[in-house]
Short mmCIF file of all heavy atoms in Angstrom, two decimals:
data_model
loop_
_atom_site.label_atom_id
_atom_site.label_comp_id
_atom_site.label_asym_id
_atom_site.label_seq_id
_atom_site.Cartn_x
_atom_site.Cartn_y
_atom_site.Cartn_z
N ALA A 18 -1.97 -19.77 -13.50
CA ALA A 18 -2.82 -20.86 -13.01
C ALA A 18 -4.07 -20.33 -12.33
O ALA A 18 -5.13 -20.96 -12.37
CB ALA A 18 -2.03 -21.75 -12.02
N ALA A 19 -3.98 -19.15 -11.70
CA ALA A 19 -5.10 -18.56 -11.01
C ALA A 19 -6.09 -17.88 -11.97
O ALA A 19 -7.19 -17.48 -11.56
CB ALA A 19 -4.62 -17.54 -9.96
N LEU A 20 -5.68 -17.73 -13.23
CA LEU A 20 -6.47 -16.91 -14.17
C LEU A 20 -7.20 -17.73 -15.23
O LEU A 20 -8.20 -17.26 -15.77
CB LEU A 20 -5.53 -15.90 -14.88
CG LEU A 20 -4.68 -15.01 -13.97
CD1 LEU A 20 -3.81 -14.11 -14.86
CD2 LEU A 20 -5.56 -14.18 -13.06
N VAL A 21 -6.69 -18.92 -15.59
CA VAL A 21 -7.18 -19.59 -16.79
C VAL A 21 -8.66 -19.99 -16.73
O VAL A 21 -9.27 -20.20 -17.77
CB VAL A 21 -6.32 -20.84 -17.12
CG1 VAL A 21 -4.94 -20.43 -17.56
CG2 VAL A 21 -6.27 -21.79 -15.93
N ARG A 22 -9.22 -20.07 -15.53
CA ARG A 22 -10.66 -20.37 -15.45
C ARG A 22 -11.50 -19.20 -15.94
O ARG A 22 -12.62 -19.38 -16.41
CB ARG A 22 -11.04 -20.70 -14.02
CG ARG A 22 -12.52 -21.04 -13.85
CD ARG A 22 -12.87 -21.49 -12.46
NE ARG A 22 -14.27 -21.84 -12.35
CZ ARG A 22 -14.85 -22.30 -11.24
NH1 ARG A 22 -14.13 -22.51 -10.16
NH2 ARG A 22 -16.15 -22.55 -11.23
N TYR A 23 -10.92 -17.99 -15.88
CA TYR A 23 -11.68 -16.80 -16.18
C TYR A 23 -11.26 -16.09 -17.46
O TYR A 23 -12.07 -15.38 -18.08
CB TYR A 23 -11.57 -15.80 -15.00
CG TYR A 23 -11.93 -16.43 -13.69
CD1 TYR A 23 -10.94 -16.83 -12.79
CD2 TYR A 23 -13.24 -16.64 -13.37
CE1 TYR A 23 -11.28 -17.42 -11.57
CE2 TYR A 23 -13.62 -17.23 -12.16
CZ TYR A 23 -12.63 -17.63 -11.28
OH TYR A 23 -12.96 -18.21 -10.07
N THR A 24 -10.03 -16.24 -17.88
CA THR A 24 -9.56 -15.53 -19.07
C THR A 24 -8.32 -16.23 -19.61
O THR A 24 -7.56 -16.87 -18.87
CB THR A 24 -9.23 -14.06 -18.76
OG1 THR A 24 -8.77 -13.43 -19.98
CG2 THR A 24 -8.14 -13.94 -17.70
N ARG A 25 -8.12 -16.08 -20.92
CA ARG A 25 -6.88 -16.58 -21.56
C ARG A 25 -6.03 -15.41 -22.03
O ARG A 25 -4.93 -15.63 -22.55
CB ARG A 25 -7.26 -17.45 -22.76
CG ARG A 25 -8.14 -18.63 -22.41
CD ARG A 25 -7.35 -19.84 -22.02
NE ARG A 25 -6.52 -20.31 -23.12
CZ ARG A 25 -6.98 -21.05 -24.12
NH1 ARG A 25 -8.25 -21.37 -24.21
NH2 ARG A 25 -6.16 -21.44 -25.08
N GLN A 26 -6.51 -14.16 -21.86
CA GLN A 26 -5.77 -12.99 -22.26
C GLN A 26 -5.00 -12.43 -21.08
O GLN A 26 -5.61 -12.01 -20.08
CB GLN A 26 -6.71 -11.90 -22.81
CG GLN A 26 -7.42 -12.28 -24.11
CD GLN A 26 -6.42 -12.37 -25.27
OE1 GLN A 26 -6.13 -13.45 -25.75
NE2 GLN A 26 -5.93 -11.22 -25.70
N VAL A 27 -3.68 -12.40 -21.18
CA VAL A 27 -2.87 -12.00 -20.05
C VAL A 27 -1.82 -10.97 -20.48
O VAL A 27 -1.45 -10.87 -21.65
CB VAL A 27 -2.17 -13.20 -19.38
CG1 VAL A 27 -3.17 -14.23 -18.92
CG2 VAL A 27 -1.13 -13.82 -20.32
N VAL A 28 -1.32 -10.23 -19.49
CA VAL A 28 -0.25 -9.26 -19.68
C VAL A 28 0.77 -9.51 -18.58
O VAL A 28 0.40 -9.52 -17.40
CB VAL A 28 -0.75 -7.82 -19.61
CG1 VAL A 28 0.42 -6.83 -19.57
CG2 VAL A 28 -1.64 -7.51 -20.82
N HIS A 29 2.03 -9.69 -18.92
CA HIS A 29 3.11 -9.90 -17.96
C HIS A 29 3.77 -8.55 -17.66
O HIS A 29 4.21 -7.85 -18.58
CB HIS A 29 4.15 -10.86 -18.49
CG HIS A 29 3.66 -12.27 -18.67
ND1 HIS A 29 3.80 -13.23 -17.70
CD2 HIS A 29 3.02 -12.87 -19.70
CE1 HIS A 29 3.27 -14.35 -18.12
NE2 HIS A 29 2.79 -14.16 -19.33
N LEU A 30 3.87 -8.21 -16.39
CA LEU A 30 4.60 -7.01 -16.02
C LEU A 30 6.09 -7.30 -16.03
O LEU A 30 6.53 -8.40 -15.74
CB LEU A 30 4.22 -6.53 -14.61
CG LEU A 30 2.77 -6.03 -14.40
CD1 LEU A 30 2.67 -5.36 -13.02
CD2 LEU A 30 2.34 -5.08 -15.49
N ASP A 31 6.87 -6.28 -16.37
CA ASP A 31 8.32 -6.36 -16.30
C ASP A 31 8.80 -5.82 -14.97
O ASP A 31 8.07 -5.12 -14.26
CB ASP A 31 8.95 -5.53 -17.44
CG ASP A 31 8.67 -6.13 -18.82
OD1 ASP A 31 8.79 -7.36 -18.92
OD2 ASP A 31 8.32 -5.37 -19.72
N ASP A 32 10.04 -6.11 -14.60
CA ASP A 32 10.62 -5.57 -13.39
C ASP A 32 10.59 -4.05 -13.44
O ASP A 32 10.90 -3.44 -14.48
CB ASP A 32 12.06 -6.07 -13.19
CG ASP A 32 12.11 -7.47 -12.65
OD1 ASP A 32 11.08 -8.00 -12.19
OD2 ASP A 32 13.20 -8.09 -12.65
N GLY A 33 10.23 -3.43 -12.31
CA GLY A 33 10.16 -1.99 -12.24
C GLY A 33 8.86 -1.40 -12.76
O GLY A 33 8.72 -0.18 -12.84
N GLU A 34 7.92 -2.27 -13.13
CA GLU A 34 6.67 -1.83 -13.73
C GLU A 34 5.51 -1.98 -12.73
O GLU A 34 5.50 -2.89 -11.91
CB GLU A 34 6.40 -2.65 -14.98
CG GLU A 34 5.47 -1.97 -15.96
CD GLU A 34 5.49 -2.68 -17.31
OE1 GLU A 34 5.81 -3.88 -17.37
OE2 GLU A 34 5.21 -2.01 -18.32
N LEU A 35 4.54 -1.05 -12.81
CA LEU A 35 3.35 -1.08 -11.98
C LEU A 35 2.14 -1.09 -12.91
O LEU A 35 2.25 -0.79 -14.09
CB LEU A 35 3.24 0.13 -11.07
CG LEU A 35 4.36 0.37 -10.03
CD1 LEU A 35 5.51 1.13 -10.63
CD2 LEU A 35 3.81 1.13 -8.82
N ALA A 36 0.98 -1.41 -12.33
CA ALA A 36 -0.26 -1.38 -13.12
C ALA A 36 -1.39 -1.03 -12.20
O ALA A 36 -1.42 -1.39 -11.00
CB ALA A 36 -0.52 -2.70 -13.81
N THR A 37 -2.35 -0.30 -12.73
CA THR A 37 -3.65 -0.10 -12.09
C THR A 37 -4.66 -0.92 -12.83
O THR A 37 -4.76 -0.84 -14.07
CB THR A 37 -4.03 1.39 -12.14
OG1 THR A 37 -3.06 2.17 -11.46
CG2 THR A 37 -5.40 1.59 -11.44
N VAL A 38 -5.40 -1.74 -12.11
CA VAL A 38 -6.48 -2.52 -12.74
C VAL A 38 -7.82 -2.06 -12.22
O VAL A 38 -8.02 -1.92 -11.00
CB VAL A 38 -6.27 -4.03 -12.52
CG1 VAL A 38 -5.04 -4.53 -13.25
CG2 VAL A 38 -6.19 -4.40 -11.05
N ARG A 39 -8.70 -1.77 -13.12
CA ARG A 39 -10.09 -1.42 -12.84
C ARG A 39 -10.98 -2.38 -13.61
O ARG A 39 -10.52 -3.09 -14.50
CB ARG A 39 -10.41 0.01 -13.23
CG ARG A 39 -9.66 1.09 -12.43
CD ARG A 39 -10.09 2.46 -12.94
NE ARG A 39 -9.56 3.54 -12.11
CZ ARG A 39 -8.37 4.10 -12.29
NH1 ARG A 39 -7.58 3.68 -13.27
NH2 ARG A 39 -7.98 5.09 -11.50
N ALA A 40 -12.26 -2.37 -13.31
CA ALA A 40 -13.14 -3.30 -14.00
C ALA A 40 -13.16 -3.06 -15.49
O ALA A 40 -13.35 -4.02 -16.27
CB ALA A 40 -14.57 -3.16 -13.43
N ASP A 41 -12.95 -1.83 -15.91
CA ASP A 41 -13.03 -1.52 -17.33
C ASP A 41 -11.66 -1.53 -18.05
O ASP A 41 -11.58 -1.15 -19.21
CB ASP A 41 -13.70 -0.18 -17.55
CG ASP A 41 -12.96 0.96 -16.88
OD1 ASP A 41 -11.95 0.69 -16.18
OD2 ASP A 41 -13.39 2.12 -17.04
N GLY A 42 -10.61 -1.99 -17.39
CA GLY A 42 -9.33 -2.05 -18.07
C GLY A 42 -8.14 -1.86 -17.16
O GLY A 42 -8.26 -1.93 -15.94
N PHE A 43 -6.99 -1.62 -17.76
CA PHE A 43 -5.77 -1.50 -16.99
C PHE A 43 -4.86 -0.43 -17.61
O PHE A 43 -4.99 -0.12 -18.80
CB PHE A 43 -5.02 -2.83 -16.91
CG PHE A 43 -4.41 -3.26 -18.23
CD1 PHE A 43 -3.07 -2.99 -18.52
CD2 PHE A 43 -5.16 -3.95 -19.18
CE1 PHE A 43 -2.53 -3.37 -19.73
CE2 PHE A 43 -4.63 -4.31 -20.41
CZ PHE A 43 -3.30 -4.05 -20.68
N SER A 44 -3.95 0.06 -16.83
CA SER A 44 -2.87 0.92 -17.33
C SER A 44 -1.58 0.52 -16.66
O SER A 44 -1.57 0.07 -15.50
CB SER A 44 -3.17 2.39 -17.04
OG SER A 44 -3.29 2.62 -15.63
N THR A 45 -0.48 0.59 -17.40
CA THR A 45 0.82 0.22 -16.86
C THR A 45 1.75 1.38 -16.94
O THR A 45 1.68 2.23 -17.85
CB THR A 45 1.41 -0.97 -17.64
OG1 THR A 45 1.51 -0.65 -19.01
CG2 THR A 45 0.54 -2.23 -17.47
N PHE A 46 2.70 1.44 -15.98
CA PHE A 46 3.59 2.60 -15.89
C PHE A 46 4.79 2.24 -15.05
O PHE A 46 4.83 1.19 -14.37
CB PHE A 46 2.85 3.80 -15.29
CG PHE A 46 2.08 3.49 -14.01
CD1 PHE A 46 2.65 3.67 -12.77
CD2 PHE A 46 0.78 2.98 -14.11
CE1 PHE A 46 1.94 3.36 -11.61
CE2 PHE A 46 0.08 2.66 -12.95
CZ PHE A 46 0.66 2.86 -11.71
N THR A 47 5.81 3.10 -15.07
CA THR A 47 7.03 2.89 -14.30
C THR A 47 6.95 3.64 -12.98
O THR A 47 6.02 4.40 -12.71
CB THR A 47 8.26 3.38 -15.10
OG1 THR A 47 8.17 4.82 -15.21
CG2 THR A 47 8.31 2.75 -16.49
N GLN A 48 7.98 3.46 -12.15
CA GLN A 48 8.04 4.18 -10.87
C GLN A 48 8.15 5.69 -11.07
O GLN A 48 7.84 6.46 -10.16
CB GLN A 48 9.20 3.67 -10.03
CG GLN A 48 8.96 2.30 -9.43
CD GLN A 48 9.99 1.95 -8.38
OE1 GLN A 48 10.69 2.79 -7.83
NE2 GLN A 48 10.10 0.66 -8.07
N ASP A 49 8.59 6.10 -12.27
CA ASP A 49 8.65 7.52 -12.56
C ASP A 49 7.43 8.04 -13.27
O ASP A 49 7.43 9.13 -13.85
CB ASP A 49 9.89 7.82 -13.43
CG ASP A 49 11.19 7.47 -12.69
OD1 ASP A 49 11.25 7.75 -11.48
OD2 ASP A 49 12.12 6.94 -13.32
N ALA A 50 6.35 7.23 -13.27
CA ALA A 50 5.07 7.61 -13.84
C ALA A 50 5.07 7.66 -15.36
O ALA A 50 4.18 8.28 -15.96
CB ALA A 50 4.55 8.94 -13.24
N ARG A 51 6.03 7.06 -15.98
CA ARG A 51 6.05 7.00 -17.44
C ARG A 51 5.16 5.85 -17.90
O ARG A 51 5.28 4.73 -17.47
CB ARG A 51 7.49 6.77 -17.94
CG ARG A 51 7.62 6.67 -19.46
CD ARG A 51 9.07 6.56 -19.87
NE ARG A 51 9.77 5.48 -19.20
CZ ARG A 51 9.74 4.21 -19.61
NH1 ARG A 51 9.02 3.87 -20.67
NH2 ARG A 51 10.43 3.28 -18.93
N ILE A 52 4.20 6.17 -18.79
CA ILE A 52 3.27 5.17 -19.27
C ILE A 52 3.99 4.17 -20.16
O ILE A 52 4.83 4.52 -20.99
CB ILE A 52 2.14 5.85 -20.10
CG1 ILE A 52 1.38 6.86 -19.21
CG2 ILE A 52 1.19 4.80 -20.66
CD1 ILE A 52 0.73 6.24 -17.99
N THR A 53 3.69 2.88 -19.99
CA THR A 53 4.26 1.82 -20.81
C THR A 53 3.15 1.16 -21.63
O THR A 53 1.99 1.14 -21.23
CB THR A 53 4.98 0.76 -19.95
OG1 THR A 53 4.04 0.19 -19.03
CG2 THR A 53 6.14 1.38 -19.16
N ALA A 54 3.55 0.64 -22.77
CA ALA A 54 2.58 -0.03 -23.67
C ALA A 54 2.76 -1.53 -23.55
O ALA A 54 3.86 -2.04 -23.70
CB ALA A 54 2.81 0.44 -25.10
N LYS A 55 1.67 -2.23 -23.30
CA LYS A 55 1.71 -3.69 -23.14
C LYS A 55 0.71 -4.31 -24.11
O LYS A 55 -0.42 -3.85 -24.23
CB LYS A 55 1.37 -4.10 -21.72
CG LYS A 55 2.16 -3.39 -20.63
CD LYS A 55 3.62 -3.74 -20.64
CE LYS A 55 3.87 -5.15 -20.15
NZ LYS A 55 5.32 -5.42 -19.99
N GLN A 56 1.13 -5.40 -24.72
CA GLN A 56 0.25 -6.18 -25.60
C GLN A 56 -0.16 -7.47 -24.94
O GLN A 56 0.71 -8.25 -24.49
CB GLN A 56 0.97 -6.46 -26.93
CG GLN A 56 1.19 -5.22 -27.80
CD GLN A 56 -0.10 -4.56 -28.22
OE1 GLN A 56 -1.07 -5.21 -28.56
NE2 GLN A 56 -0.12 -3.23 -28.17
N PRO A 57 -1.44 -7.76 -24.85
CA PRO A 57 -1.87 -9.03 -24.23
C PRO A 57 -1.40 -10.25 -25.04
O PRO A 57 -1.24 -10.19 -26.26
CB PRO A 57 -3.40 -8.94 -24.28
CG PRO A 57 -3.71 -7.48 -24.43
CD PRO A 57 -2.58 -6.91 -25.25
N LEU A 58 -1.12 -11.32 -24.30
CA LEU A 58 -0.79 -12.60 -24.89
C LEU A 58 -1.93 -13.57 -24.63
O LEU A 58 -2.67 -13.43 -23.65
CB LEU A 58 0.49 -13.18 -24.28
CG LEU A 58 1.78 -12.36 -24.43
CD1 LEU A 58 2.87 -13.00 -23.61
CD2 LEU A 58 2.19 -12.25 -25.87
N THR A 59 -2.09 -14.57 -25.51
CA THR A 59 -3.09 -15.60 -25.30
C THR A 59 -2.43 -16.84 -24.69
O THR A 59 -1.50 -17.39 -25.28
CB THR A 59 -3.78 -15.97 -26.61
OG1 THR A 59 -4.41 -14.80 -27.15
CG2 THR A 59 -4.84 -17.03 -26.38
N VAL A 60 -2.89 -17.25 -23.55
CA VAL A 60 -2.35 -18.43 -22.87
C VAL A 60 -3.00 -19.67 -23.50
O VAL A 60 -4.21 -19.74 -23.66
CB VAL A 60 -2.68 -18.39 -21.36
CG1 VAL A 60 -2.18 -19.64 -20.67
CG2 VAL A 60 -2.07 -17.15 -20.72
N ASP A 61 -2.16 -20.66 -23.86
CA ASP A 61 -2.67 -21.83 -24.52
C ASP A 61 -2.93 -23.00 -23.57
O ASP A 61 -3.14 -24.13 -24.00
CB ASP A 61 -1.76 -22.28 -25.67
CG ASP A 61 -0.36 -22.64 -25.19
OD1 ASP A 61 -0.09 -22.54 -23.97
OD2 ASP A 61 0.48 -22.99 -26.04
#
């Protein structure tokens, strides 16, 4: 609800997952620093 005014492309984090967000993008990873792959979804 807080995002739809600005974007329809979203990524849901899973439990135990972290993310770094910068202006030019994001990266997701676990508490053990293992990189995870996330695919954006389009909110309708």
Side-chain angles (χ1 to χ4, degrees):
L20 306 178
V21 291
R22 180 174 181 179
Y23 306 102
T24 180
R25 302 271 297 280
Q26 293 292 109
V27 302
V28 170
H29 293 266
L30 294 191
D31 293 316
D32 280 348
E34 202 166 26
L35 299 86
T37 299
V38 293
R39 295 181 172 88
D41 59 358
F43 70 96
S44 60
T45 57
F46 49 93
T47 67
Q48 286 192 19
D49 297 322
R51 179 175 54 83
I52 301 299
T53 58
K55 309 292 288 189
Q56 291 298 319
L58 299 173
T59 300
V60 178
D61 60 0

